[in-house]
Amino acid sequence: MANSSSGDSVVDRIVRLISAFPQDVNALQLSDLASRAGLPLTTTHRLVGQLAGHGLLETAPGGMVRPGLRLWELVNRASPALALRQAAMPFMEDIQQVLNQNVNLAVLDGWEALFVERLSRRGSVANRAQVAGRMPIHISSAGLALMAHQDKAMQQEYLGQFTDPEGRLAAADVRALLAEAAHQGFAQLKGVVDAGTWGIAVPVLDRRQRAVASLGVVVPLQEMRLQALVPALQTAARGIARQLADA
Amino acid sequence: MANSSSGDSVVDRIVRLISAFPQDVNALQLSDLASRAGLPLTTTHRLVGQLAGHGLLETAPGGMVRPGLRLWELVNRASPALALRQAAMPFMEDIQQVLNQNVNLAVLDGWEALFVERLSRRGSVANRAQVAGRMPIHISSAGLALMAHQDKAMQQEYLGQFTDPEGRLAAADVRALLAEAAHQGFAQLKGVVDAGTWGIAVPVLDRRQRAVASLGVVVPLQEMRLQALVPALQTAARGIARQLADA
DNA sequence: GCTGGACTTCCGGTGAACGGAAGGACTGGC
DNA sequence: GCCAGTCCTTCCGTTCACCGGAAGTCCAGC
């Protein structure tokens, strides 16, 4: 917008401002926020003031800034993620009660799995997936389950650009994982994300058999109930799909 | 910002645009969105384009617009509501498993209770509280539990401005409800929100004994376990408070 | 009392945002 | 097949809201 020497618009700035908050929820200093967002202090001050006027941010005395309740409210009142979450929650709780381990719900966004919800319990094994957190497709069972049930075209595009920063996997390896997941109807990764944990995920399919979400669990490697576990996840996934179609 | 004939800034417009989405999650037509937000069509078109460029909104072919995943992600990655939710979820699940009824978590915002989380189950009685939904203080047990444990000054201010649009309650009635809730340590409303349901809520207190949140349940009127129910809620609330203090 | 760091206010220039008007795209009625 | 209606999209000259350096204020810590 007007006169930005950097040539970005007000929208850009607002997005940068909101994105500047790290996962840890605590408030940021105004000047800290300014540097994280890459904005001049004065500009940050003015924008924060405006946003705070709408309750999208909150300023504590002393210049600390944190995301506001109203922002949370607005976004969580109407969001595609919310509809999905609402449809899935009862089924996720059912799964959790039976297994007493982590349950998660993810969608595909870009070339990553975005986790929409996670239920965990004291005593569950470690679970890297955070709510609103992301994981690369090829090292999350959720990501594999999602990508294995996409258009051929999208899979090609994904594999075409695939590079593993750590160089452990080639595109061909991922292709094999996807093929296996598509064939079996579920994806699994043993000890990949964390040694000692086992991720298993099934797709939630729409009418065209495309994955709109994935439902997964993280269990200890010793878990023996695979025979019962996968059907339970698949049944739940079907229930979620039905809920989504009805709404 | 620049040149708005109506004198509002770009920030104002963006807020209006995002607020324009109603609870129901479905997408809006561009022109519909424009009129709901009270913005000229051209302006709406431009802003939506910019916001969509950042993924804060998504445009479907045909001009339909809906909130974007990235917006949800940004907000749910860092928010005071999220920290509260995370601290409370395990306790809410415990309560739910025992009672098998609706459990909700609310905070005070303005003169309303804002519901941060709700767990419900097939077979639960009706529950008006929606996630990210609001209810007036005087007709929600959550609201009463929250207000009953605020500063005297804030209570005075609240009662001073109180008017019941339906004219059924006077400020003195609400004062009595608050006094009872403060004395008992929990708030209850029988058949007020919905005939046949009974709302019970306890405050989550910080070190200064101020309510930062409320934990509540909605049960059928026939529920007989009040003797056990309130202590269970209070124990859970104390657990949540401990989690919050530790974090 | 002084120094450093952080927040806040001021203010003139300027270019991004504004929105009317015109152009497409699509649909349904006849 | 044409026409009317509805909606989305693009164009472009004018304007004023935003920008950000500089100066002011506040508050700890030494």
Side-chain angles (χ1 to χ4, degrees):
Chain A
M1 317 214 161
N3 313 336
S4 66
S5 55
S6 39
D8 48 4
S9 68
V10 172
V11 173
D12 292 330
R13 284 149 198 257
I14 292 173
V15 173
R16 291 238 292 283
L17 219 45
I18 297 176
S19 325
F21 287 93
Q23 247 88 344
D24 104 49
V25 187
N26 289 325
L28 291 177
Q29 299 226 88
L30 184 61
S31 48
D32 191 7
L33 179 59
S35 69
R36 282 170 188 270
L39 294 172
L41 176 60
T42 311
T43 303
T44 307
H45 179 260
R46 189 167 13 83
L47 282 180
V48 166
Q50 287 192 49
L51 290 169
H54 289 282
L56 302 202
L57 296 178
E58 285 169 12
T59 54
M64 297 298 275
V65 184
R66 60 177 181 182
L69 262 183
R70 174 131 190 88
L71 179 59
W72 179 89
E73 179 188 358
L74 283 179
V75 172
N76 285 279
R77 212 173 54 180
S79 169
L82 193 69
L84 176 61
R85 193 196 104 98
Q86 206 155 336
M89 271 295 266
F91 296 99
M92 293 179 71
E93 286 172 15
D94 290 346
I95 297 277
Q96 200 207 23
Q97 283 205 17
V98 175
L99 291 178
N100 208 35
Q101 291 291 350
N102 301 291
V103 190
N104 58 54
L105 180 72
V107 296
L108 188 64
D109 192 51
W111 303 133
E112 290 174 313
L114 174 63
F115 289 88
V116 170
E117 184 55 278
R118 181 190 78 159
L119 297 182
S120 59
R121 182 155 294 185
R122 294 173 293 265
S124 300
V125 293
N127 184 359
R128 285 285 177 80
Q130 296 286 325
V131 171
R134 287 168 177 269
M135 292 195 73
I137 285 173
H138 67 286
I139 56 170
S140 62
S141 51
L144 290 173
L146 284 163
M147 184 51 79
H149 296 266
Q150 297 294 327
D151 309 318
K152 285 267 177 285
M154 183 181 261
Q155 292 189 15
Q156 289 304 334
E157 195 187 342
Y158 166 62
L159 290 167
Q161 61 77 53
F162 177 84
T163 51
D164 183 358
E166 275 139 47
R168 265 180 282 173
L169 284 181
D173 301 323
V174 179
R175 185 191 302 275
L177 284 172
L178 290 177
E180 188 193 352
H183 178 67
Q184 290 183 138
F186 68 93
Q188 59 172 322
L189 286 175
K190 268 190 169 176
V192 173
V193 181
D194 275 303
T197 73
W198 185 6
I200 302 166
V202 302
V204 176
L205 301 170
D206 65 7
R207 266 150 291 174
R208 298 193 206 82
Q209 301 298 304
R210 253 185 40 131
V212 291
S214 81
L215 180 68
V217 291
V218 178
V219 297
L221 279 181
Q222 309 84 354
E223 176 65 47
M224 299 300 289
R225 289 171 288 178
L226 184 60
Q227 298 297 339
L229 200 158
V230 169
L233 281 177
Q234 285 170 331
T235 307
R238 212 157 271 168
I240 295 171
R242 199 176 335 108
Q243 277 293 318
L244 286 175
D246 289 352
Chain B
M1 318 208 157
N3 312 337
S4 65
S5 56
S6 40
D8 49 2
S9 69
V10 172
V11 174
D12 292 330
R13 283 150 197 256
I14 292 173
V15 174
R16 291 237 293 282
L17 219 45
I18 297 176
S19 325
F21 286 93
Q23 247 88 346
D24 104 52
V25 186
N26 289 324
L28 290 178
Q29 299 225 90
L30 184 60
S31 48
D32 191 8
L33 179 58
S35 69
R36 281 171 188 270
L39 295 172
L41 176 61
T42 310
T43 303
T44 306
H45 180 260
R46 189 167 14 81
L47 283 179
V48 166
Q50 287 190 50
L51 290 168
H54 288 282
L56 302 203
L57 296 179
E58 286 170 12
T59 55
M64 297 297 276
V65 184
R66 60 177 181 183
L69 263 182
R70 176 132 187 85
L71 179 58
W72 178 89
E73 180 188 358
L74 284 179
V75 172
N76 284 278
R77 212 173 52 180
S79 170
L82 195 69
L84 176 60
R85 193 196 103 99
Q86 207 155 334
M89 270 295 267
F91 296 98
M92 293 179 70
E93 285 173 15
D94 291 347
I95 296 279
Q96 201 207 23
Q97 284 203 18
V98 175
L99 290 178
N100 208 35
Q101 291 291 351
N102 301 291
V103 190
N104 58 55
L105 180 73
V107 297
L108 189 64
D109 192 50
W111 303 133
E112 290 174 314
L114 174 63
F115 288 88
V116 169
E117 183 56 279
R118 181 190 78 162
L119 298 181
S120 61
R121 181 154 297 184
R122 294 173 292 264
S124 300
V125 292
N127 184 359
R128 283 287 176 80
Q130 296 286 326
V131 171
R134 286 168 176 268
M135 292 195 73
I137 287 174
H138 68 288
I139 55 171
S140 61
S141 51
L144 291 172
L146 284 163
M147 184 52 78
H149 296 266
Q150 298 294 327
D151 308 319
K152 285 266 176 286
M154 183 180 262
Q155 292 188 16
Q156 289 305 332
E157 194 187 342
Y158 166 62
L159 289 168
Q161 60 79 53
F162 177 83
T163 50
D164 182 358
E166 275 139 47
R168 266 179 282 172
L169 284 180
D173 301 322
V174 179
R175 186 192 302 274
L177 285 172
L178 290 177
E180 190 193 351
H183 178 68
Q184 292 183 138
F186 68 94
Q188 59 173 323
L189 286 175
K190 268 191 169 174
V192 173
V193 180
D194 275 303
T197 73
W198 185 7
I200 302 166
V202 303
V204 176
L205 300 170
D206 65 7
R207 266 149 293 175
R208 298 192 206 84
Q209 302 298 303
R210 253 186 39 133
V212 291
S214 82
L215 180 68
V217 290
V218 178
V219 297
L221 280 181
Q222 309 83 355
E223 176 66 47
M224 299 299 290
R225 289 171 288 179
L226 184 60
Q227 298 296 340
L229 201 159
V230 168
L233 282 176
Q234 285 170 332
T235 307
R238 213 158 269 169
I240 296 171
R242 200 177 332 110
Q243 277 293 320
L244 286 174
D246 289 353

